[in-house]
Amino acid sequence: MTSSSDRSLAVDVQGPKSYEIRTYGCQMNVHDSERLAGLLEEAGYVRAPEGTDGDADVVVFNTCAVRENADNRLYGNLGHLAPKKARRPGMQIAVGGCLAQKDRDTIVKKAPWVDVVFGTHNIGKLPVLLERARVQQEAQVEIAESLEAFPSTLPTRRESAYAAWVSISVGCNNTCTFCIVPALRGKEKDRRPGDILAEVEALVAEGVSEITLLGQNVNAYGSDIGDREAFSKLLRACGTIDGLERVRFTSPHPRDFTDDVIAAMAETPNVMPQLHMPLQSGSDAVLKAMRRSYRQERYLGIIEKVRAAIPHAAITTDIIVGFPGETEEDFEQTLHVVREARFAQAFTFQYSKRPGTPAAEMDDQIPKKVVQARYERLVALQEEISWEENKKQLGRTLELMVAEGEGRKDGTTHRLSGRAPDNRLVHFTKPEQDVRPGDVVTVEVTYAAPHHLLAEGPVLDVRRTRAGDAWEKRNTAEPAKPAGVMLGLPKVGVPAPLPAAASSGCGCD
């Protein structure tokens, strides 16, 4: 086997090779892609400039298997790269992630110009597999059946200088009938609390001021280590870390949402007043068919407790429309929960079959026309509620963490953008004082739209932070900013925020 020093030498002989990573799906994949970037850079590769579009020496696809057309999209992109590779001797293509874990040998059969196929459990092997494919001149397919290394223990190339993902568990013990993820990422495996906190402390020492605790079912943390209150203890422990200003987590499961977690959220000042908790359906019958281990009353009961403990909490959710067997009465129950819960945002999905899931074989698949009509009704209702909830923010004074790349029109409107503690996106007037991503500004909200707020008056206060210093140091060191990890879904934040236009994940939590 080639050593890491041999890999670096092989890459450096003809000068550094460039890489591009294209990421599809949930936050777990985004986090994995940061690790893939770190591994490649440790092996001597450099990120391709912005706008490379497949012209890098190595193109990596980090795939998702949740959406119905995920495989068609992958093979379409691979087909687009085939002529480019034919014109560029030495170019390599690698496919990883959930679709690679599921399809493994099929990928090379359908796209024989692919050099490497690797799974969700062995992302750390990518540089070795690329070198092996180069030396042996044949495709390398290696899919581990169990986790080889926790993603957070691998080298990283984080997309943000001021905010970071921290993986606390991988895998899932649930058996939701619409979801293939447990079969691809395996049973839940928890990290030791000390390892998690050590990583958080190291990130804060680098200038990070916001972290998002990440897990497939993040609040089930502790089931693997035998402590039912491990997640609430972890939240409280994060509250003792000096310099850590904001703590978020995604995505919790209603089954595991216990009172001690609500208390920890309410009583730990740096845990933000925000909760993303997937509903999927408001119908008890559909929830049962989905094998979701809660019912409407339980879900709404959690919402009520959270709002009692944290009155200003912004609550968001995931909803699937058109699950097999869903009747009009079932759908009306979903609308009822949306009206009662008054979500700040809902990330809605039209049900799509996934081969290998029980739901794909169920009778009473709903016609596309019916699903589309229900979807449009749900979106219209949620848009109305989101707007009404945002209007309640008018006149409030908020502390925003200045964000990078969140305001697409900021350049023309002479504004900057930031995230409120509850994760609402706020565009604000650019102050005369220099403000950097990671700094904190205080503003007054003057206008509300369904998916954002405006603070059109002058900025009330600017607080320069160590996170802003970290951003400035990184960008001073990198005058030509390279391309980021490319997302196949709309932007999911950098990395903690969940913008209104984005999916919170893969819709399977």
Side-chain angles (χ1 to χ4, degrees), residues 372-387:
Q372 182 67 33
R374 290 176 183 170
Y375 177 80
E376 291 173 1
R377 288 164 59 196
L378 173 62
V379 169
L381 174 61
Q382 182 57 53
E383 288 279 302
E384 178 184 336
I385 292 172
S386 294
W387 199 0

Side-chain angles (χ1 to χ4, degrees), residues 150 167-168 189-198 221 225 234:
F150 235 98
S167 179
I168 69 170
K189 185 173 180 59
D190 296 335
R191 291 177 74 188
R192 293 172 50 131
D195 293 340
I196 297 168
L197 294 171
Y221 176 74
I225 56 179
L234 184 61

Side-chain angles (χ1 to χ4, degrees), residues 449-490:
H451 300 295
H452 69 269
L453 303 172
L454 291 182
E456 298 164 297
V459 170
L460 304 177
D461 184 59
V462 174
R463 176 164 61 87
R464 292 173 70 85
T465 65
R466 291 173 60 252
D469 294 342
W471 180 90
E472 186 172 3
K473 180 179 178 182
R474 173 187 282 197
N475 283 268
T476 300
E478 300 176 9
K481 186 175 176 62
V485 175
M486 298 180 65
L487 300 180
L489 288 179

Side-chain angles (χ1 to χ4, degrees), residues 246-264:
R246 296 187 173 191
V247 178
R248 306 185 191 276
F249 58 89
T250 194
S251 290
H253 194 292
R255 181 196 65 186
D256 302 302
F257 215 96
T258 50
D259 290 349
D260 62 296
V261 172
I262 297 174

Side-chain angles (χ1 to χ4, degrees), residues 342-499:
R342 300 197 64 79
F343 299 114
Q345 298 288 339
F347 305 103
T348 52
F349 303 84
Q350 295 188 36
Y351 170 76
S352 61
K353 281 185 177 183
R354 290 312 301 146
T357 62
E361 306 301 323
M362 288 181 176
D363 296 330
D364 297 324
Q365 300 284 330
I366 310 300
K368 170 67 175 176
K369 184 177 180 180
V370 174
V371 176
Q372 182 67 33
R374 290 176 183 170
Y375 177 80
E376 291 173 1
R377 288 164 59 196
L378 173 62
V379 169
L381 174 61
Q382 182 57 53
E383 288 279 302
E384 178 184 336
I385 292 172
S386 294
W387 199 0
E388 290 172 356
E389 291 301 304
N390 273 359
K391 287 176 182 176
K392 294 177 182 178
Q393 306 298 310
L394 292 174
R396 287 191 67 193
T397 299
L398 301 176
E399 272 199 344
L400 311 179
M401 181 174 290
V402 181
E404 182 177 26
E406 296 256 29
R408 296 177 183 175
K409 299 179 181 178
D410 283 351
T412 56
T413 58
H414 304 290
R415 295 187 180 118
L416 297 176
S417 299
R419 290 280 169 176
D422 67 6
N423 209 37
R424 281 184 166 91
L425 178 63
V426 185
H427 307 299
F428 61 95
T429 302
K430 188 175 182 179
E432 293 183 7
Q433 182 177 348
D434 183 39
V435 178
R436 309 158 302 178
D439 286 340
V440 175
V441 300
T442 304
V443 302
E444 182 179 330
V445 177
T446 59
Y447 175 83
H451 300 295
H452 69 269
L453 303 172
L454 291 182
E456 298 164 297
V459 170
L460 304 177
D461 184 59
V462 174
R463 176 164 61 87
R464 292 173 70 85
T465 65
R466 291 173 60 252
D469 294 342
W471 180 90
E472 186 172 3
K473 180 179 178 182
R474 173 187 282 197
N475 283 268
T476 300
E478 300 176 9
K481 186 175 176 62
V485 175
M486 298 180 65
L487 300 180
L489 288 179
K491 190 173 187 293
V492 296
V494 191
L498 295 168

Side-chain angles (χ1 to χ4, degrees), residues 233-249:
K233 292 175 182 176
L234 184 61
L235 291 178
R236 292 183 186 276
C238 286
T240 67
I241 297 176
D242 187 40
L244 180 58
E245 297 195 19
R246 296 187 173 191
V247 178
R248 306 185 191 276
F249 58 89

